[in-house]
């Protein structure tokens, strides 16, 4: 058997022998897969590719060359099957037919025959084997083709295709809806070995292991493949890629914040017998799913939903409980995550009525089971926006993430509970990276209508979201809100404020409890960072009071999680009416900036130097300082690590120089992570334009 991409010998008939050439460089470039390398043939469905046969005798055009194809995975399993559409046999025709498997000679008679071969635009993706004549066997990889109008993943914009299929790096949004943090990520879908890992994910999924032929046939459909990826990026039911961990205990693995890209994760999984990589959280699950989708040819983007509801009982209501000090009590599995990331894949939905093509939400983070498996989606964004909760797949869960109602109750010491007045919205500032730039694109309008609009009410009616429909806007007599300082940098002391307003014509006497606790991004509460209890707050009619709470680094430093989040809660109790009012706000402490300076002229295959600097913003020294750097087509598919041997004192710079050699022209991101004993996993990046 000839190695793919090499020259091999094949006997076409009793008296004709030839040498074949897969023309990998030409074909891969033509099919926009050359960044995977040119050692093997990687083509897209619905588009012709060329194989050249160098004959040992002259070809006069009179010979018929039979060309049978067979596509199953090269793992143990059944033979290619006509039943499942994973086998096709055909001969030469006068010209290529792009709607089915076909082959045609495109060269004049002579000692070289150019054979043009085309797959249908709905062929199953994956590894294929092509048999030429009486013994020649060629292996190649077939991918989805979003450039082909007949493919269900077709996208009609070159700019969007460059972003959602070809871009190897991007931005993922974290932080809070009041302070969005753009985090760089190296998707690396074309790095060495990544496509092999992605194909192995398909081959290791339980459906393939149970019935390889049926699974191979299913791969013609990106709906099916997206659902497989949603399940296989987590390892809850299978030999999936990532194990989730939402505590501070990362023994046996690394913090999810330590990852800068998908390449190391996918390689670790592939080279360690498909053992799950430890550990991931939502943005890591989403980023890996994006890398795999793009590698297979499905346009994909990572999105972030701020104040994301996790509704465990499908009633579209999140119930939260506080004690008499205003501290949240974990009584329900329902949660509001500070943010939650998932992906959107682009495809048509012929299984639904017209109008639901385009972006489909798909979530690989294991939260709730769908059809007995931890997966979610794909579900059209339009179905979420219109309240069509019967549409496949998992519409109620995603609808709740962006639309759930929040009810807050006070649990008293005697065991009784009462509802308190609180204004909390979910589904805010749904964000993704813009096409062709690092700016943020707000896509909230793709998921929901403007609040209070007739269209929103109609969607809620379809979704039977009675809680929202019954809500009436009331002007409360007392208002409470939380205001913060302009700058809240990690390492600094700063003030936050509870602002209380009396809109009644009468004087008010109240109790104000103002507290703060460390919190993880998914809503798990930590230790106290500051607390104030004022038993006698008197408010004249129309009066507003600002009550400060000092946040001292010495108090919050040891309690913060790696998310740098503090939850502020202000509970106001009206002694006269016994009504309670609650305001909650999460604040993000700002990390210092990583500065990256490129020394030298960036060109292909020319060594460059990056000078990377971070100033210690803390009032304490930093020890065990380490910079790690990676970038697609910049660092050779590897992670570069530079450790500092010395301690970095307060106000001093941590500085290193890192050497790397770009391999391809174009704009690339050099992604940087800084870690130390007191300042953990600070992210930064620099766009580098590489010349030829």
């Amino acid at each position: 058997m000839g190695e793919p991409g090499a020259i091999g010998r094949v006997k076409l008939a009793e008296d004709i022998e030839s040498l074949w050439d897969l023309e990998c460089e030409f074909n891969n470039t033509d099919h926009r897969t050359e960044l995977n390398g040119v050692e093997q043939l990687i083509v897209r469905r619905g588009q012709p590719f060329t194989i050249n046969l160098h004959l040992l005798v002259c070809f006069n055009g009179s010979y018929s060359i039979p060309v049978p194809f067979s596509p199953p995975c090269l793992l143990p399993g059944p033979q290619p099957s006509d039943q499942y559409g994973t086998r096709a046999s055909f001969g030469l025709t006068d010209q290529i037919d792009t709607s089915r498997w076909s082959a045609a000679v495109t060269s004049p008679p002579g000692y070289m025959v150019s054979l043009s071969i085309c797959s249908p635009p709905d062929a199953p993706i994956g590894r294929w084997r092509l048999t030429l004549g009486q013994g020649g066997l060629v292996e190649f990889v077939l991918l989805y083709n979003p450039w082909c109008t007949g493919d269900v993943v077709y996208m009609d914009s070159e700019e969007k295709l460059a972003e959602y299929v070809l871009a190897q790096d991007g931005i993922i949004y974290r932080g809070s809806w009041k302070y969005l943090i753009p985090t760089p990520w190296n998707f690396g879908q074309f790095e060495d070995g990544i496509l092999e890992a992605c194909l192995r994910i398909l081959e290791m999924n339980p459906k393939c292991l149970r019935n390889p032929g049926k699974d191979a046939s299913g791969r013609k459909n990106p709906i099916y493949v997206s659902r497989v990826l949603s399940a296989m990026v987590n390892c809850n039911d299978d030999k999936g890629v990532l194990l989730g961990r939402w505590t501070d205990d990362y023994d046996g693995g690394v913090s999810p914040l330590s990852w800068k890209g998908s390449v190391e994760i996918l390689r670790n999984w592939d080279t360690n017998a498909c053992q799950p990589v430890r550990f991931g959280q939502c943005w890591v699950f989403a980023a890996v799913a994006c890398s795999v989708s793009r590698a297979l040819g499905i346009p994909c983007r990572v999105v972030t939903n701020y104040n994301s509801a996790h509704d465990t009982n499908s009633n579209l209501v999140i119930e939260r409980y506080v004690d008499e000090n205003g501290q949240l009590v974990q009584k329900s599995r329902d949660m509001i995550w500070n943010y939650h990331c998932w992906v959107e894949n682009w495809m048509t939905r012929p299984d639904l009525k017209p109008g639901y093509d385009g972006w489909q939400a798909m979530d690989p983070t294991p939260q709730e089971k769908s059809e007995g498996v931890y997966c979610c989606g794909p579900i059209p964004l339009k179905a979420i926006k219109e309240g069509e909760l019967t549409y496949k797949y998992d519409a109620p869960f995603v609808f709740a993430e962006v639309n759930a109602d929040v009810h807050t109750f006070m649990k008293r010491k005697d065991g009784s509970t009462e509802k308190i007045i609180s204004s909390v919205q979910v589904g805010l500032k749904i964000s993704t990276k813009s096409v062709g730039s690092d700016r943020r694109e707000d896509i909230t309008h793709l998921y929901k209508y403007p609040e209070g609009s007739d269209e929103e009410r109609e969607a809620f009616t379809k979704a039977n979201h009675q809680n929202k429909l019954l809500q009436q806007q009331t002007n409360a007599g007392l208002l409470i809100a939380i205001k913060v300082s302009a700058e809240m940098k990690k390492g600094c002391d700063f003030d936050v404020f509870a602002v209380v307003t009396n809109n009644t014509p009468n004087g008010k006497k109240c109790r104000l409890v103002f507290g703060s606790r460390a919190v993880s991004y998914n809503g798990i509460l930590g230790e106290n960072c500051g607390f104030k209890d004022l038993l006698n707050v008197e408010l004249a009619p129309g009066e507003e009071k600002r009550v400060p709470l000092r946040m001292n680094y010495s108090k919050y430093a040891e309690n913060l999680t790696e998310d740098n989040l503090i939850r502020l809660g202000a509970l106001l109790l009206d002694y006269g009416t016994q009504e309670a009012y609650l305001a909650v706000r999460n604040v993000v402490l700002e990390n210092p900036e990583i500065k990256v300076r490129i020394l030298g002229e960036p060109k292909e295959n020319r060594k460059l130097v990056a000078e990377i600097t971070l100033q210690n913003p803390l009032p304490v020294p930093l020890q065990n300082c380490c910079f790690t750097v990676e970038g697609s087509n910049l660092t050779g598919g590897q992670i570069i690590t530079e450790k500092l041997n010395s301690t970095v004192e307060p106000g001093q710079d941590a500085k290193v120089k890192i050497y790397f050699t770009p391999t391809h022209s174009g704009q690339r991101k050099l992604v940087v992570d800084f870690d130390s004993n007191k300042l953990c996993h600070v992210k930064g990046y620099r766009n580098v334009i590489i010349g030829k």
Side-chain angles (χ1 to χ4, degrees), residues 39-50:
E39 293 75 30
Q40 65 173 329
L41 183 59
I42 305 169
V43 294
R44 300 185 184 276
R45 62 188 194 176
Q47 180 177 341
F49 60 94
T50 299

Side-chain angles (χ1 to χ4, degrees), residues 322-324 409-418 420 511 573 578-580:
V322 298
D323 61 22
E324 291 179 88
F409 300 88
M410 181 190 294
K411 184 174 175 57
R412 298 190 179 275
K413 293 178 182 178
D414 61 8
S416 64
T417 59
E418 65 177 81
I420 62 178
R511 176 189 177 194
L573 298 169
Q578 294 300 305
E579 287 184 316

